[in-house]
Amino acid sequence: ESATVLPGEKAVFPVMTESLDDYTGTATFVRQYIPAGFYLTLPEIKMNSTDNIVIDVDESVEAGDYTIIVNGSNGSTLELAITVLSKETVLEPTIIQISPYSVFVGDKVTVYGYGFGKTGKLYYDGNEIEAEEWYGSAVSFIVQEDMKTGTVYLETENGKSNAAILYVRERGFNLRPSTSEVILEKNVTK
């Protein structure tokens, strides 16, 4: 996992948990190695869900490549790579991924990338929408009732990003025959 930010921004890393052997607890994390000037927010994540590890990068951090190591309560290790650019760098916003990319109304969606800055405008199919969270490398929003499959992009003082497709599914159900045999009653011709 990697993120690119400017000093004073937040790097965001999505973390997904997957239950093994019907485990229903939460995943917790412990800081193993953190360079000076980096501050972590470590979530407790419910099984079979995704949340974000958020890293605040202090204004004083010099440009360079950094690694933060976090241990999971299950013994796993996450190495989070952060590239901090110089304060003078102008980044055009760029979307790398959207997660989840297939959703229902009411779901939270996070757009990941770089150059998002501290503020901007978020658009869905050309209409401005409200961002729930805004970081230098991630922006989140909630899928609204009127949203159908469409594109997400954002604008900052440094330009307009590329677009990412979000698939909005309808809730419902499928009907399937429980057998492949068709039994006709006596004297039925259809």
Side-chain angles (χ1 to χ4, degrees):
E1 293 290 327
S2 64
T4 301
V5 295
L6 296 169
E9 292 184 344
K10 296 175 190 277
V12 180
F13 295 90
V15 179
M16 183 184 88
T17 60
E18 186 174 38
S19 176
L20 299 176
D21 299 324
D22 297 321
Y23 178 71
T24 58
T26 57
T28 56
F29 302 92
V30 178
R31 299 156 176 86
Q32 180 180 336
Y33 174 75
I34 307 167
F38 293 84
Y39 309 97
L40 272 68
T41 302
L42 297 172
E44 286 189 8
I45 305 175
K46 293 179 183 176
M47 282 301 108
N48 301 314
S49 64
T50 302
D51 204 340
N52 294 317
I53 293 177
V54 179
I55 302 171
D56 289 290
V57 180
D58 193 83
E59 290 277 351
S60 65
V61 173
E62 296 288 326
D65 294 323
Y66 298 88
T67 300
I68 293 175
I69 300 174
V70 177
N71 291 330
S73 55
N74 66 344
S76 64
T77 299
L78 296 174
E79 290 190 16
L80 309 173
I82 300 176
T83 299
V84 179
L85 302 173
S86 71
K87 294 177 186 178
E88 297 78 30
T89 303
V90 176
L91 280 178
E92 288 189 15
T94 302
I95 295 173
I96 295 173
Q97 78 177 56
I98 188 167
S99 179
Y101 65 88
S102 183
V103 297
F104 293 107
V105 169
D107 287 349
K108 180 179 178 180
V109 175
T110 303
V111 179
Y112 296 95
Y114 56 87
F116 297 172
K118 294 180 182 179
T119 62
K121 293 181 179 180
L122 182 62
Y123 294 90
Y124 191 81
D125 271 354
N127 299 307
E128 187 175 353
I129 60 172
E130 184 177 336
E132 185 173 272
E133 299 171 308
W134 194 289
Y135 303 112
S137 63
V139 174
S140 299
F141 65 95
I142 302 295
V143 178
Q144 301 300 309
E145 191 72 37
D146 61 342
M147 292 179 172
K148 304 293 181 215
T149 295
T151 57
V152 178
Y153 66 92
L154 53 94
E155 288 183 357
T156 69
E157 62 184 23
N158 295 327
K160 178 179 171 181
S161 76
N162 55 313
I165 296 175
L166 178 67
Y167 298 95
V168 180
R169 298 179 292 169
E170 303 228 1
R171 294 192 190 273
F173 57 89
N174 290 325
L175 291 177
R176 294 188 184 124
S178 61
T179 179
S180 59
E181 294 180 35
V182 177
I183 302 171
L184 297 176
E185 293 183 24
K186 191 174 184 179
N187 298 326
V188 176
T189 59
K190 292 185 181 181

